[in-house]
Amino acid sequence: MPDTIRPDPLWFDASLCLIGSDWRPAASGETMDLLNPSDGSLLARIAAGDAEDIDRAVMAAQQARDGDWGRMTATERGRILTRIGQAVEARAEDLALLEALDVGKPLTQARADVTALARYMEFYGGAADKITGETLPYLDGYTVYTLREPHGVAGHIVPWNYPMQIIGRSVGAALAMGNACVLKPAEEACLTALAFAHLCRDAGLPAGALNVVPGRGAQAGAALAGHGGVQHVSFTGSVATGALVQQAAGRNVVPVTLELGGKSPQVVFNDADLDAALPFLVNAGIQNAGQTCSASSRILVQNSLYDAVLARMSAAYEALSVGPALDDRRVGPLISARQKTIVEGFLDRASDLAVAARGHLVDAPETGAYVLPTLLRDVPPEHPLARDEIFGPVQVLIPFTDEAEAIRIANGTDYGLVASVWTENGARQMRMAKALRAGQVFVNNYGAGGGVELPFGGVGKSGHGREKGFEALYGFSQLKTVAARHG
Ligand code: NAD
């Protein structure tokens, strides 16, 4: 263990919800066990909030919106967000440790998530007072302008795979626009959500601007999505739950941002720079043990380069070590025994496919949720493993002959979150960027290192709405048109 790690990583009481200015247990008094996926041990007992806690949190958010927080200037909101970002940086190692223990993420990856959270706060802190309206030419005797206004109370339902990053991009943008937030973290991983809320209050965020209610999806999550006092819902998670959230919010005619994962392809042409591509091809599949909405789980390779990619990716897979998060190997455990069962179920359905290579376990306790990273070769594009989101460290290699076939295969799933193209041919880069059905397309890279500044979101079953960058600020606000007739 590095000596920066303290014996007790919890510097706060993890069994409480933040509602207004109060840290309090769930109204029911119920708690849930939070397990360490690296070894199955008990990490903490967290509040099992339900509809009553959500109701109180929404009321606290409404009071903040109608009170100090709602009246604050955009500049002052931005300063508070900037201070929160600095507080995150100051506690970086503590936050990384919590995320590693809670999510099972190797420490290096958890540290990168802390950096991203701080960067979101810095970005949205700086952006808060840069959002302006327009003046519009209209009839003689009129002055017309637009105002960007917050929705009011914003509900955030967050999954377990990247708690800090997803809180950064959704809560950060919503607060920058002046919304008051109710955050429902995932029952499997919520320690950094609670830690973040402490840092927000310490940095001067007024009471009620951010409320945090851990709880089960079917209780706290459903109550938040369908609450009549919520004016915007942002959700990241599975397609099935996203559809439920949209239905619940729809009953109140409330806008929803859905980010539902994908089956994102990297398309490698014969003329690609394979040395440059290789780290991106592998890392985009195994980062966070493949439990990444924008994971690249399909690698499409043109015929002449196929054997070289197969050989080099196989060698890379054989070198992948898998172990507990604090050992900081390339791959950690999955989030839970349940997720391990889901991923193993996919691999059982791959018995007709050829395994090219697998990683190896190093000092991994049997009680942890480990799945060996697995590279599958020559996978038919219509096979379920080439079409369904697995959400585990599994990548499929699919050969193709020409550009038209590559586009057909790449666009041949229900999803459309991220795609990349690897080619030195500039015209082909441009054609592919247009043809690929995805919310983000990368040319000769993948993921652009997270890209806080870059609008992100999907098409098709990957969801709708855009997060990150300035675009998120438009999503977390509504436009009012003011037409003044003065003669
Ligand atoms: P999920 O979509 O059920 O959970 C995500 C969040 O939604 C959690 O906070 C959960 O408590 C909440 N939730 C659950 N039911 C709800 C409801 N009825 N109303 C409102 N909120 C509710 O995902 P999961 O069960 O944790 O994982 C299952 C699969 O989802 C994974 O295998 C993976 O394919 C996918 N997933 C995708 C992402 C992503 O980043 N896109 C993240 C997590 C999971």
Side-chain angles (χ1 to χ4, degrees):
M1 261 197 197
D3 52 16
T4 46
I5 291 174
R6 300 181 314 185
D8 178 5
L10 284 175
W11 74 83
F12 51 87
D13 184 342
S15 69
L16 305 178
C17 312
L18 175 61
I19 296 178
S21 59
D22 295 340
W23 285 96
R24 54 165 93 158
S28 66
E30 298 283 314
T31 59
M32 303 181 286
D33 289 351
L34 200 62
L35 302 183
N36 177 347
S38 291
D39 60 12
S41 62
L42 182 68
L43 265 183
R45 291 210 163 82
I46 54 167
D50 61 17
E52 191 175 341
D53 303 285
I54 291 290
D55 202 39
R56 290 178 182 175
V58 171
M59 277 195 294
Q62 284 167 340
Q63 280 167 11
R65 179 204 60 194
D66 297 338
D68 288 354
W69 179 243
R71 283 193 289 273
M72 200 172 270
T73 63
T75 307
E76 188 51 32
R77 287 199 306 270
R79 284 190 188 127
I80 291 176
L81 289 184
T82 303
R83 285 204 297 274
I84 295 170
Q86 289 160 352
V88 167
E89 273 174 350
R91 299 299 293 256
E93 205 53 29
D94 295 336
L95 289 165
L97 175 59
L98 287 182
E99 198 81 317
L101 291 170
D102 204 0
V103 181
K105 211 173 270 242
L107 264 176
T108 301
Q109 294 175 37
R111 288 185 180 120
D113 289 2
V114 182
T115 304
L117 174 58
R119 177 76 189 108
Y120 277 115
M121 293 303 129
E122 179 184 45
F123 180 87
Y124 287 118
D129 62 1
K130 314 290 183 297
I131 292 291
T132 58
E134 290 180 305
T135 52
L136 306 173
Y138 192 54
L139 302 176
D140 188 31
Y142 280 78
T143 297
V144 182
Y145 59 94
T146 57
L147 297 171
R148 281 244 159 237
E149 297 181 336
H151 292 291
V153 176
H156 302 263
I157 301 172
V158 168
W160 39 261
N161 54 343
Y162 286 84
M164 282 193 286
Q165 291 220 30
I166 294 170
I167 289 167
R169 77 188 188 201
S170 69
V171 171
L175 290 176
M177 282 312 302
N179 298 279
C181 300
V182 177
L183 165 64
K184 207 299 282 174
E187 44 272 59
E188 295 86 349
C190 63
L191 293 181
T192 51
L194 297 167
F196 176 73
H198 278 280
L199 297 182
C200 286
R201 293 286 290 137
D202 294 349
L205 188 71
L210 173 63
N211 306 275
V212 183
V213 180
R216 295 191 176 84
Q219 280 107 45
L224 182 56
H227 198 289
V230 170
Q231 283 86 38
H232 183 280
V233 179
S234 62
F235 171 84
T236 303
S238 63
V239 175
T241 305
L244 289 176
V245 166
Q246 180 159 326
Q247 278 171 15
R251 285 194 281 278
N252 297 317
V253 198
V254 161
V256 174
T257 302
L258 296 180
E259 202 272 86
L260 307 179
K263 192 72 186 174
S264 299
Q266 298 197 60
V267 183
V268 187
F269 285 92
N270 285 339
D271 66 343
D273 177 345
L274 187 49
D275 288 336
L278 193 71
F280 290 88
L281 298 181
V282 175
N283 197 47
I286 54 102
Q287 183 178 314
N288 200 30
Q291 304 164 113
T292 304
C293 43
S294 55
S296 175
S297 46
R298 294 186 295 155
I299 309 295
L300 281 50
V301 189
Q302 199 167 14
N303 294 130
S304 322
L305 204 62
Y306 187 80
D307 286 345
V309 172
L310 172 62
R312 294 192 58 184
M313 281 190 73
S314 297
Y317 260 72
E318 274 153 18
L320 287 175
S321 56
V322 183
L326 299 192
D327 287 1
D328 206 17
R329 311 250 170 230
R330 280 295 297 285
V331 181
L334 301 188
I335 184 71
S336 61
R338 173 176 165 255
Q339 191 66 17
K340 178 176 151 121
T341 304
I342 293 176
V343 174
E344 286 176 344
F346 274 105
L347 290 172
D348 288 346
R349 273 172 271 151
S351 54
D352 54 334
L353 298 175
V355 173
R358 285 202 166 102
H360 58 279
L361 295 176
V362 181
D363 300 331
E366 280 185 10
T367 44
Y370 298 93
V371 170
L372 286 184
T374 304
L375 179 66
L376 299 162
R377 57 182 291 183
D378 310 330
V379 178
E382 61 283 359
H383 195 285
L385 271 87
R387 302 180 60 84
D388 298 339
E389 185 178 53
I390 299 172
F391 232 60
V394 181
Q395 283 180 298
V396 299
L397 275 169
I398 306 174
F400 68 87
T401 50
D402 58 19
E403 200 173 307
E405 188 185 17
I407 293 167
R408 205 164 48 245
I409 298 171
N411 291 347
T413 73
D414 293 340
Y415 295 102
L417 190 57
V418 174
S420 88
V421 55
W422 293 89
T423 175
E424 298 297 297
N425 179 327
R428 173 171 282 156
Q429 293 170 357
M430 297 299 112
R431 284 195 301 274
M432 289 296 292
K434 280 196 169 178
L436 288 167
R437 188 168 167 270
Q440 284 188 331
V441 175
F442 297 98
V443 177
N444 289 341
N445 75 97
Y446 191 90
V452 164
E453 307 85 346
L454 314 181
F456 174 73
V459 300
K461 291 211 169 131
S462 290
H464 51 74
R466 293 293 175 265
E467 298 191 287
K468 304 191 181 183
F470 267 69
E471 204 59 35
L473 298 170
Y474 303 133
F476 279 112
S477 60
Q478 52 200 342
L479 200 66
K480 178 186 280 177
T481 303
V482 181
R485 186 173 66 85
H486 40 67

